Amino acid sequence: MPTYMSIAVALIDDQPTLLVEWEGQDVERHPIPAVKKDRALRFAAGEPGHRSTIWRIWGAKNADDVYLASRASAGEFKVSLHQSGDWRFQAIDLRKENDTHFGGLDSGQGRLLHQWTRPTADEAGWTRAVTIQIPFEHLSVVPNDGVKYSDVRWIRALRPGHTLMFEVVLVPLDAEQVVVRSFDLDPDDFAAVVDAIRLPGGEVVLVLAFTEPTPAGTLEEIDARLHKYAADGFAAPESWDRSPESAPRTLTFQDDGGVLVLFDLALGPLGNHG
């Protein structure tokens, strides 16, 4: 694996273009498509039959609003990154408790799980929005996973003892200035540019993927957290479909300095781990 990569977005011959340079290789150029109603970015860790949640990012036609949700549960919850800077993680329909369960959320707390303000961009103009973390040990074995997810960007590089991180960032497209951002990489780990899409105002939504060793004790901490959620009444109800064929998943989150971190996990401490 190369020890660094550099990424930039630029207008080349009036075409929004993603520029990627890996150590010792020629610069790759990829056109960045504009957002459309039927165009979404879909990505997941693993492969059909042994995988994470399948994630979906899409945008609004006439505003720089960005949405992120599970492909299977977009009608139950989503992350909304509004152009106004009002960013939210919320349930959509609390009546669908057989599909997505938020514990006591329906007892006076409303639909809102978390609300925050768009953070300040870094020196390169990039704004980190969401990180999705998936430990290898929390990939689910899905028997008879027969649907062909041909439109999904599969990241198969995850291996035992490592965590995959999908990073969702917003990058400005400036006709006069191109800012290159470089990443130092561990040669034993993995990095990739997953996909990109251009919003109506010109800003680019970029999805990156990185792997790194899972810190010692992390899996035990996750298991303890899921046990606590179950004890506090935040576990999925018994009516929820727990069959491995349905690929049940657990989602927890935290705010890391203005970046929403989602932990995409197997269902509870007794989840169907790989």
Side-chain angles (χ1 to χ4, degrees):
M1 181 76 193
T3 57
Y4 78 83
M5 69 172 176
S6 296
I7 303 173
V9 296
L11 284 173
I12 298 179
D13 298 327
D14 294 326
Q15 170 65 53
T17 303
L18 177 66
L19 305 173
V20 183
E21 181 179 10
W22 298 91
E23 179 185 22
Q25 301 179 20
D26 293 335
V27 176
E28 301 174 6
R29 298 187 179 189
H30 306 280
I32 304 173
V35 64
K36 291 184 178 180
K37 182 178 180 180
D38 59 348
R39 176 178 289 157
L41 309 183
R42 299 177 178 90
F43 53 94
E47 58 188 349
H50 186 214
R51 59 177 173 83
S52 69
T53 296
I54 296 174
W55 292 93
R56 176 174 176 257
I57 288 179
W58 70 102
K61 182 178 180 180
N62 299 313
D64 284 2
D65 296 335
V66 181
Y67 304 99
L68 168 70
S70 160
R71 183 180 190 179
S73 302
E76 287 93 47
F77 74 89
K78 68 179 178 181
V79 176
S80 302
L81 309 176
H82 293 295
Q83 181 177 343
S84 65
D86 177 19
W87 288 5
R88 302 183 174 208
F89 175 37
Q90 63 188 33
I92 304 302
D93 188 345
L94 294 172
R95 294 171 300 177
K96 296 185 177 183
E97 60 181 357
N98 288 341
D99 299 318
T100 303
H101 185 66
F102 297 110
L105 182 67
D106 52 354
S107 58
Q109 298 183 47
R111 297 187 298 122
L112 193 62
L113 290 161
H114 182 56
Q115 182 177 19
W116 74 112
T117 300
R118 175 173 175 155
T120 302
D122 65 15
E123 66 281 357
W126 290 36
T127 303
R128 293 181 62 214
V130 181
T131 297
I132 302 170
Q133 294 195 15
I134 309 161
F136 173 88
E137 288 73 14
H138 275 269
L139 295 179
S140 292
V141 174
V142 186
N144 305 313
D145 195 9
V147 178
K148 295 181 179 179
Y149 300 117
S150 59
D151 58 345
V152 175
R153 301 287 194 271
W154 292 99
I155 301 298
R156 298 180 172 89
L158 195 53
R159 61 187 190 275
H162 285 68
T163 293
L164 175 67
M165 292 171 291
F166 287 113
E167 294 275 358
V168 180
V169 297
L170 304 179
V171 183
L173 181 61
D174 193 323
E176 299 181 356
Q177 182 180 12
V178 177
V179 179
V180 178
R181 182 165 182 186
S182 297
F183 298 83
D184 294 323
L185 307 172
D186 187 315
D188 293 330
D189 292 327
F190 172 86
V193 179
V194 179
D195 218 331
I197 196 168
R198 178 169 47 90
L199 301 176
E203 198 166 32
V204 172
V205 181
L206 189 61
V207 182
L208 309 175
F210 301 92
T211 64
E212 63 179 30
T214 303
T218 296
L219 295 179
E220 290 78 9
E221 291 174 5
I222 289 173
D223 204 49
R225 183 190 307 171
L226 295 178
H227 273 294
K228 185 177 186 304
Y229 281 3
D232 290 345
F234 282 82
E238 290 303 320
S239 59
W240 205 67
D241 185 359
R242 298 167 181 265
S243 65
E245 288 80 4
S246 70
R249 305 287 294 170
T250 292
L251 189 67
T252 69
F253 69 94
Q254 68 184 41
D255 186 308
D256 182 13
V259 179
L260 180 67
V261 181
L262 301 174
F263 298 89
D264 180 1
L265 308 170
L267 180 61
L270 301 179
N272 185 26
H273 297 234

